[in-house]
């Protein structure tokens, strides 16, 4: 992996307001798949699926979802869980024990919030798509008595086009799209098939948005082993769409799905997607992530590299998880769970020998330089490390006594750090595992 070029100079880093610890995955106490993000009332609302370990058929090993939670954030780092939006027992037309509450979407129209979700119907097979309506983006949502007529399939996505017309798209024997009536609850005419002109390999999870007068269809697309994220563009919401390329390549690990959404917030575009970070052995228990996405001048989309670091700026006083690194050396470094039986407890980074290092970008030291660094570590033989925010200038050098269990150590800061800096942590001697660092 490349070593970073330092952008944060000592004492001269950019000053901005404090924020909470930033990393991927973004929700760290439960599984969250299929993350649809929308901006409502100045915040980002996240409407994901809620993967659980099946309580009824643990041996079944498949997608299992009994309800939806809503989350919101103003900084993309601190997420408020607004609790359960709908659960399978409350859907009048759904199987109360279907465990099939797959990828949803939510849009606002004329002051009402419409939540679209697939679910197993009480009678028949497959999936129908229902709507639940609320006055606020966080509910309470009231499900309609019947699913939308004419929509059989999964992964609804709704587009409110700038001319005031709304469209619904879903995956059901290919990609289908249709106009919605103004009531947002019924199709306005027949649906059309949209994936046929695209290269073969459309799977599911379409996300459609409008930007600068053009329509983007982004979708999971399998060329090889697992889902990539591809996109196509059109001048018309119902196509034809022209294939343009990949937004994200297939994952390095085994997560077969990659459901996503794109959203513009405070002048930046973000890609929300998922991976199986907390469940590396079972890819139906997934976790939402965010990375920045950029557009070229001509409107095409730049490829996004998935990161552990994610987006946002971590305050120096938060527990900065170096295992969610921006860059890391080779030489036997790796990241693993603190406790494999309790994945939500998080990870540590292993730095096994001199010259191994890890770097975490964008830590906000504010305008009052901290006096101490505190580190949670363990080390067989003991270690010595240098911490720098500018190459070759350590702001702290720390001697770590041998510690076989997790131990905290505090060391003085030898330089004054303010503003936003990247922190580089390098081993000078010995071996070490680090859970987090923080500044006091
Ligand atoms: O979460 C269940 C299904 O997996 C979604 O509906 C698909 O898009 C895929 O992510």
């Amino acid at each position: 992996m490349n070593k970073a070029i330092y952008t944060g100079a000592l004492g001269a880093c950019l000053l901005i307001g404090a924020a909470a610890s930033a990393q991927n995955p973004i929700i760290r106490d439960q599984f969250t798949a299929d993350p649809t993000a929308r901006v409502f009332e100045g915040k980002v609302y996240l409407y994901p699926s809620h993967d659980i370990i099946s309580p009824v058929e643990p041996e079944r090993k498949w997608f299992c979802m009994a309800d939806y939670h809503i989350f919101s954030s103003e900084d993309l780092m601190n997420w408020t869980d607004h609790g359960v939006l709908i659960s399978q027992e409350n859907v009048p037309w759904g199987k109360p024990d279907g465990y099939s509450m797959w990828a949803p979407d939510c849009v606002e129209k004329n002051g009402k919030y419409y939540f679209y979700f697939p679910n197993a119907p009480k009678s028949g097979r497959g999936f129908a798509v229902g709507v639940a309506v609320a006055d606020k983006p966080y509910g309470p949502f009231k499900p309609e008595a019947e699913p939308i007529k004419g929509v059989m399939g999964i992964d609804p996505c709704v587009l409110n086009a700038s001319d005031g017309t709304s469209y619904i798209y879903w995956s059901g024997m290919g990609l289908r799209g249709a106009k919605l009536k103004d009531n947002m609850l019924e199709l306005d005419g027949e649906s059309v098939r949209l994936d046929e002109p695209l290269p073969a390999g459309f799977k599911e999870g379409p996300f459609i948005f409008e930007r600068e007068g053009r329509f983007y269809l982004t979708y999971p697309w399998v060329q090889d082993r697992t889902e990539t994220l591809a996109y196509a563009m059109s001048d018309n919401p119902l196509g034809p769409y022209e294939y343009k390329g990949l937004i994200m390549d297939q994952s390095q690990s085994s997560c077969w799905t990659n459901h996503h959404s794109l959203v513009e917030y405070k002048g930046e575009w973000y890609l929300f997607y998922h991976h199986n970070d907390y469940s590396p052995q079972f890819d139906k228990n997934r976790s939402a992530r965010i990375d920045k996405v950029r557009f070229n001048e001509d409107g095409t989309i730049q490829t996004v590299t998935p990161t552990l670091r994610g987006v946002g700026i971590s305050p120096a006083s938060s527990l900065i998880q170096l295992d969610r690194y921006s860059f890391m050396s080779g030489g036997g470094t790796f990241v693993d769970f603190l406790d494999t039986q309790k994945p939500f407890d998080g990870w540590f980074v292993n730095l096994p020998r001199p010259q191994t290092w890890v770097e975490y970008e964008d830590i906000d030291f504010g305008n009052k330089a901290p006096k101490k660094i505190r580190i949670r570590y363990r080390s067989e033989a003991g270690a010595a490390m240098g911490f720098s925010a500018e190459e070759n200038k350590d702001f702290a050098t720390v001697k770590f006594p041998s510690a076989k269990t997790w131990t905290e150590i505090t060391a003085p800061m030898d330089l004054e750090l303010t503003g936003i800096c990247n922190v580089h942590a390098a081993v000078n001697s010995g071996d070490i595992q680090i859970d987090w660092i923080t500044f006091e």
Side-chain angles (χ1 to χ4, degrees):
M1 193 127 356
N2 289 336
K3 195 166 178 184
I5 296 164
Y6 283 86
T7 51
L10 290 177
C13 312
L14 173 70
L15 276 172
I16 66 151
S21 182
Q23 67 188 70
N24 276 330
I26 54 170
I27 308 296
R28 297 192 277 275
D29 63 354
Q30 60 193 287
F31 299 117
T32 47
D34 308 326
T36 300
R38 298 287 186 188
V39 178
F40 298 130
E41 301 180 338
K43 289 185 192 175
V44 174
Y45 279 83
L46 184 67
Y47 300 89
S49 318
H50 182 199
D51 287 344
I52 53 172
I53 294 164
S54 172
V56 284
E57 303 178 274
E59 76 289 356
R60 186 164 159 237
K61 293 273 172 198
W62 189 241
F63 300 108
C64 184
M65 293 97 137
D67 60 24
Y68 296 103
H69 280 235
I70 315 175
F71 302 85
S72 69
S73 174
E74 285 182 66
D75 59 13
L76 305 179
M77 296 182 289
N78 283 302
W79 290 91
T80 302
D81 182 348
H82 296 273
V84 174
L85 177 163
I86 296 183
S87 57
Q88 56 187 4
E89 304 82 32
N90 311 127
V91 180
W93 53 269
K95 259 193 198 135
D97 55 355
Y99 294 97
S100 297
M101 307 197 90
W102 287 20
D105 192 6
C106 186
V107 296
E108 183 269 339
K109 189 127 189 194
N110 299 327
K112 294 250 181 234
Y113 294 84
Y114 297 88
F115 179 78
Y116 297 82
F117 60 101
N119 191 16
K122 263 187 189 139
S123 56
R125 295 167 65 87
F127 285 83
V129 170
V131 192
V133 186
D135 292 327
K136 285 285 176 192
Y138 46 83
F141 281 89
K142 185 169 185 295
E144 292 291 302
E146 297 292 337
I148 307 176
K149 286 197 178 56
V151 181
M152 291 299 291
I154 59 169
D155 300 350
C157 171
V158 172
L159 166 74
N160 283 335
S162 53
D163 69 357
T165 316
S166 298
Y167 299 85
I168 183 166
Y169 305 84
W170 68 97
S171 170
M173 306 292 282
L175 166 61
R176 302 202 73 87
K179 251 188 207 172
L180 276 172
K181 287 188 182 168
D182 274 349
N183 65 15
M184 301 298 275
L185 306 173
E186 293 170 277
L187 299 192
D188 188 359
E190 290 295 307
S191 67
V192 293
R193 180 112 185 236
L194 294 174
D195 58 310
E196 276 167 335
L198 300 173
F202 167 83
K203 289 295 165 200
E204 54 188 0
F207 188 78
I208 292 85
F209 62 97
E210 183 180 355
R211 179 179 178 271
E212 296 180 358
R214 281 182 289 181
F215 298 91
Y216 291 76
L217 156 64
T218 60
Y219 57 99
W221 183 48
V222 176
Q223 296 168 282
D224 176 22
R225 291 176 294 110
T226 62
E227 288 181 343
T228 67
L229 297 177
Y231 77 107
M233 292 169 70
S234 177
D235 293 331
N236 185 328
L238 291 177
Y241 281 91
E242 185 187 343
Y243 174 80
K244 291 289 180 188
L246 289 190
I247 304 173
M248 183 172 273
D249 208 343
Q250 61 187 357
S251 72
Q252 297 302 311
S253 75
S254 58
C255 193
W256 193 87
T257 62
N258 192 1
H259 194 107
H260 72 295
S261 58
L262 283 91
V263 73
E264 186 179 18
Y265 183 60
K266 296 186 177 168
E268 299 260 20
W269 280 84
Y270 297 94
L271 175 69
F272 286 70
Y273 62 101
H274 71 220
H275 200 59
N276 57 336
D277 298 82
Y278 286 121
S279 175
Q281 309 306 326
F282 179 51
D283 72 343
K284 309 294 180 282
N285 285 166
R286 298 152 298 173
S287 298
R289 289 173 162 219
I290 318 176
D291 276 299
K292 277 192 185 163
V293 59
R294 293 184 178 84
F295 289 81
N296 296 312
E297 282 290 303
D298 65 358
T300 53
I301 306 178
Q302 295 179 12
T303 311
V304 178
T305 302
T307 73
L308 295 175
R309 174 63 183 75
V311 301
I313 295 167
S314 293
S317 59
S318 66
L319 301 184
I320 296 153
Q321 308 292 331
L322 292 187
D323 46 76
R324 309 291 89 189
Y325 59 86
S326 308
F327 306 96
M328 191 165 84
S329 70
T333 51
F334 64 79
V335 166
D336 202 355
F337 287 118
L338 291 164
D339 178 345
T340 46
Q341 300 306 308
K342 297 183 191 160
F344 293 113
D345 284 1
W347 298 264
F348 66 86
V349 59
N350 182 62
L351 301 169
R353 59 179 62 91
Q355 267 89 56
T356 54
W357 54 266
V358 64
E359 181 165 319
Y360 185 104
E361 290 181 307
D362 291 342
I363 299 175
D364 186 5
F365 288 86
N367 51 20
K368 195 162 171 257
K371 299 274 182 267
K372 290 180 196 161
I373 179 171
R374 189 150 57 91
I375 303 143
R376 186 167 193 255
Y377 81 102
R378 66 185 177 193
S379 169
E380 276 292 321
M385 289 188 76
F387 292 82
S388 58
E390 186 182 334
E391 224 158 352
N392 304 324
K393 268 194 189 171
D394 287 342
F395 61 76
T397 47
V398 186
K399 279 216 162 70
F400 296 87
S402 161
K404 298 215 161 74
T405 55
W406 289 107
T407 303
E408 289 180 28
I409 190 171
T410 303
M413 298 284 282
D414 299 330
L415 293 172
E416 294 208 335
L417 285 188
T418 55
I420 294 171
C421 301
N422 305 338
V423 165
H424 183 87
V427 177
N428 297 328
S429 66
D431 67 277
I432 194 162
Q433 296 181 336
I434 298 182
D435 181 8
W436 47 252
I437 62 172
T438 189
F439 296 87
E440 299 169 345

